[in-house]
Amino acid sequence: SKTPVIDRRVRALVLVAVFWAACLAGPGPALGADAIEVRAAHIERSAAGDGWSVSADFQLPLPARQEDAINRGVPLYFTIDFELIRPRWYWWNEKIAQASRTYRLSYHALTRQYRLGLDATVRSFESLGEALDALSRLRGWQVLEAGQVEPKVEYEARLRMRLDTSLLPMPFQVGTIANRDWTLQAEWKRIRFEP
Protein backbone atom coordinates (compact mmCIF):
# COMPACT_ATOMS: atom_id res chain seq x y z
CA SER A 1 0.00 0.00 0.00
CA LYS A 2 1.02 3.65 -0.41
CA THR A 3 0.70 4.57 3.28
CA PRO A 4 4.08 3.13 4.44
CA VAL A 5 5.88 5.01 1.62
CA ILE A 6 4.25 8.30 2.66
CA ASP A 7 5.05 7.57 6.34
CA ARG A 8 8.71 6.97 5.48
CA ARG A 9 8.89 10.25 3.54
CA VAL A 10 7.30 12.19 6.40
CA ARG A 11 9.68 10.60 8.91
CA ALA A 12 12.67 11.41 6.69
CA LEU A 13 11.55 15.03 6.37
CA VAL A 14 11.08 15.31 10.14
CA LEU A 15 14.55 13.85 10.74
CA VAL A 16 16.13 16.38 8.37
CA ALA A 17 14.28 19.24 10.12
CA VAL A 18 15.38 17.97 13.56
CA PHE A 19 18.99 17.67 12.34
CA TRP A 20 19.09 21.25 11.09
CA ALA A 21 17.32 22.51 14.21
CA ALA A 22 19.98 20.84 16.34
CA CYS A 23 22.72 22.45 14.24
CA LEU A 24 21.16 25.86 14.68
CA ALA A 25 20.53 25.48 18.40
CA GLY A 26 24.08 24.51 19.32
CA PRO A 27 26.09 26.47 21.90
CA GLY A 28 27.11 29.99 21.09
CA PRO A 29 26.67 33.57 22.23
CA ALA A 30 23.11 34.81 22.23
CA LEU A 31 22.71 37.94 20.19
CA GLY A 32 19.84 40.33 20.63
CA ALA A 33 17.66 41.95 18.04
CA ASP A 34 20.08 44.88 17.76
CA ALA A 35 22.95 42.92 16.18
CA ILE A 36 22.62 45.03 13.03
CA GLU A 37 22.92 48.78 13.48
CA VAL A 38 22.13 51.70 11.17
CA ARG A 39 25.15 53.95 11.65
CA ALA A 40 24.17 56.78 9.32
CA ALA A 41 21.37 57.48 6.87
CA HIS A 42 20.18 60.39 4.77
CA ILE A 43 17.73 61.20 1.98
CA GLU A 44 18.68 63.26 -1.06
CA ARG A 45 17.44 64.07 -4.54
CA SER A 46 17.87 61.14 -6.91
CA ALA A 47 20.51 61.44 -9.62
CA ALA A 48 17.87 61.91 -12.32
CA GLY A 49 16.03 64.51 -10.23
CA ASP A 50 12.73 62.66 -10.49
CA GLY A 51 12.45 61.63 -6.86
CA TRP A 52 14.30 61.00 -3.62
CA SER A 53 16.91 58.39 -2.74
CA VAL A 54 18.16 57.03 0.55
CA SER A 55 21.76 56.14 1.39
CA ALA A 56 22.94 54.47 4.59
CA ASP A 57 25.79 52.67 6.32
CA PHE A 58 25.08 49.60 8.44
CA GLN A 59 27.13 47.82 11.04
CA LEU A 60 26.67 44.19 10.07
CA PRO A 61 28.46 41.70 12.33
CA LEU A 62 27.76 38.15 11.17
CA PRO A 63 27.66 35.60 14.02
CA ALA A 64 29.52 32.30 13.66
CA ARG A 65 26.33 30.31 13.05
CA GLN A 66 25.31 32.39 10.06
CA GLU A 67 28.85 32.34 8.68
CA ASP A 68 28.91 28.56 9.04
CA ALA A 69 25.54 28.28 7.28
CA ILE A 70 26.77 30.33 4.31
CA ASN A 71 29.96 28.28 4.02
CA ARG A 72 27.82 25.11 3.98
CA GLY A 73 25.91 26.44 0.97
CA VAL A 74 22.85 27.95 2.68
CA PRO A 75 22.05 31.41 1.26
CA LEU A 76 21.10 34.19 3.68
CA TYR A 77 18.65 36.95 2.78
CA PHE A 78 18.96 40.47 4.15
CA THR A 79 16.02 42.84 3.67
CA ILE A 80 16.17 46.63 3.94
CA ASP A 81 12.84 48.25 4.83
CA PHE A 82 11.96 51.92 4.29
CA GLU A 83 8.87 53.82 5.45
CA LEU A 84 7.88 57.47 5.14
CA ILE A 85 5.38 58.88 7.62
CA ARG A 86 3.72 62.27 7.86
CA PRO A 87 3.11 63.07 11.54
CA ARG A 88 -0.30 64.56 12.32
CA TRP A 89 -1.16 66.03 15.72
CA TYR A 90 -4.91 65.78 15.16
CA TRP A 91 -5.09 62.18 13.94
CA TRP A 92 -2.98 59.05 13.48
CA ASN A 93 0.18 59.49 11.46
CA GLU A 94 -0.18 59.05 7.70
CA LYS A 95 2.03 56.47 5.96
CA ILE A 96 3.09 58.06 2.67
CA ALA A 97 5.33 55.32 1.25
CA GLN A 98 7.03 52.05 2.02
CA ALA A 99 9.57 49.97 0.14
CA SER A 100 11.76 46.91 0.66
CA ARG A 101 14.68 45.37 -1.14
CA THR A 102 16.22 41.97 -0.43
CA TYR A 103 19.83 40.91 -0.96
CA ARG A 104 20.88 37.27 -1.31
CA LEU A 105 24.26 36.42 0.22
CA SER A 106 25.66 33.01 -0.74
CA TYR A 107 28.85 31.01 -1.22
CA HIS A 108 29.70 29.24 -4.47
CA ALA A 109 31.95 26.28 -3.61
CA LEU A 110 33.05 25.64 -7.20
CA THR A 111 34.54 29.12 -7.69
CA ARG A 112 35.23 29.67 -3.96
CA GLN A 113 33.58 33.05 -4.17
CA TYR A 114 30.89 34.79 -2.16
CA ARG A 115 28.00 36.25 -4.12
CA LEU A 116 25.74 39.15 -3.31
CA GLY A 117 22.61 39.35 -5.42
CA LEU A 118 19.91 41.98 -5.81
CA ASP A 119 17.21 41.17 -8.37
CA ALA A 120 19.09 40.15 -11.54
CA THR A 121 22.39 41.79 -10.48
CA VAL A 122 25.00 39.53 -8.86
CA ARG A 123 28.43 40.62 -7.63
CA SER A 124 31.22 38.21 -6.67
CA PHE A 125 33.77 38.64 -3.87
CA GLU A 126 36.90 36.78 -2.83
CA SER A 127 36.04 36.88 0.88
CA LEU A 128 33.00 37.03 3.10
CA GLY A 129 34.31 40.25 4.65
CA GLU A 130 34.30 41.98 1.26
CA ALA A 131 30.75 40.82 0.56
CA LEU A 132 29.57 42.07 3.97
CA ASP A 133 31.29 45.43 3.40
CA ALA A 134 29.36 45.83 0.14
CA LEU A 135 26.12 44.79 1.82
CA SER A 136 26.63 47.28 4.63
CA ARG A 137 26.77 50.27 2.22
CA LEU A 138 23.46 51.33 0.71
CA ARG A 139 23.80 54.03 -1.94
CA GLY A 140 21.22 55.89 -4.02
CA TRP A 141 18.18 53.65 -3.52
CA GLN A 142 15.24 55.60 -4.95
CA VAL A 143 12.35 55.23 -2.55
CA LEU A 144 10.11 58.19 -3.46
CA GLU A 145 8.72 59.75 -6.60
CA ALA A 146 8.77 63.54 -6.80
CA GLY A 147 4.98 63.83 -6.50
CA GLN A 148 4.71 61.75 -3.33
CA VAL A 149 5.91 64.50 -1.01
CA GLU A 150 5.11 68.18 -0.60
CA PRO A 151 7.71 70.92 -0.17
CA LYS A 152 8.12 72.52 3.27
CA VAL A 153 6.28 69.65 4.97
CA GLU A 154 8.15 67.75 7.67
CA TYR A 155 8.16 63.96 7.33
CA GLU A 156 9.69 61.15 9.33
CA ALA A 157 11.52 58.44 7.39
CA ARG A 158 12.38 55.10 8.96
CA LEU A 159 15.01 52.61 7.80
CA ARG A 160 16.23 49.23 9.02
CA MET A 161 17.97 46.04 7.86
CA ARG A 162 17.00 42.53 8.97
CA LEU A 163 17.90 38.92 8.31
CA ASP A 164 14.81 37.54 6.57
CA THR A 165 14.47 34.01 7.98
CA SER A 166 11.20 33.48 6.09
CA LEU A 167 13.27 33.00 2.91
CA LEU A 168 15.56 30.32 4.38
CA PRO A 169 15.12 26.67 3.33
CA MET A 170 12.27 25.04 5.29
CA PRO A 171 14.45 22.96 7.68
CA PHE A 172 16.26 26.14 8.72
CA GLN A 173 12.98 27.99 9.25
CA VAL A 174 11.92 25.29 11.72
CA GLY A 175 15.17 25.71 13.65
CA THR A 176 15.12 29.50 13.75
CA ILE A 177 11.61 29.98 15.16
CA ALA A 178 12.68 29.97 18.82
CA ASN A 179 16.36 30.77 18.34
CA ARG A 180 17.39 34.32 19.28
CA ASP A 181 20.73 33.92 17.50
CA TRP A 182 18.85 34.12 14.20
CA THR A 183 16.94 37.28 15.11
CA LEU A 184 19.22 39.79 13.43
CA GLN A 185 17.64 43.14 12.76
CA ALA A 186 18.37 46.78 13.35
CA GLU A 187 16.16 49.08 15.33
CA TRP A 188 14.32 51.53 13.07
CA LYS A 189 16.54 54.51 12.27
CA ARG A 190 14.44 57.70 12.19
CA ILE A 191 15.39 60.39 9.70
CA ARG A 192 13.84 63.86 9.69
CA PHE A 193 13.02 64.76 6.09
CA GLU A 194 11.71 68.05 4.73
CA PRO A 195 11.69 68.36 0.90
Side-chain angles (χ1 to χ4, degrees), residues 24 31 34 42-43 73 76 82 120 132 152 155 163 191-192:
L24 294 172
L31 295 169
D34 60 346
H42 66 276
I43 300 173
L76 298 183
F82 172 86
L132 290 173
K152 298 183 181 179
Y155 297 90
L163 175 63
I191 312 160
R192 183 179 168 274

Side-chain angles (χ1 to χ4, degrees), residues 98-173:
Q98 62 182 23
S100 294
R101 69 187 329 184
T102 299
Y103 293 86
R104 182 181 191 268
L105 179 61
S106 61
Y107 178 66
H108 194 263
L110 204 60
T111 61
R112 295 183 180 178
Q113 290 185 325
Y114 293 88
R115 293 181 175 178
L116 185 62
L118 174 65
D119 300 326
T121 305
V122 178
R123 296 165 61 194
S124 296
F125 301 90
E126 296 296 322
S127 71
L128 180 57
E130 292 172 342
L132 290 173
D133 283 345
L135 179 59
S136 67
R137 290 191 304 270
L138 174 68
R139 296 293 180 266
W141 175 31
Q142 185 166 335
V143 288
L144 296 167
E145 301 294 329
Q148 287 184 278
V149 292
E150 301 173 29
K152 298 183 181 179
V153 173
E154 189 172 313
Y155 297 90
E156 180 183 283
R158 304 195 314 163
L159 186 74
R160 71 175 178 182
M161 180 189 281
R162 59 190 166 87
L163 175 63
D164 196 340
T165 55
S166 70
L167 296 174
L168 290 171
M170 190 57 71
F172 272 85
Q173 289 185 36

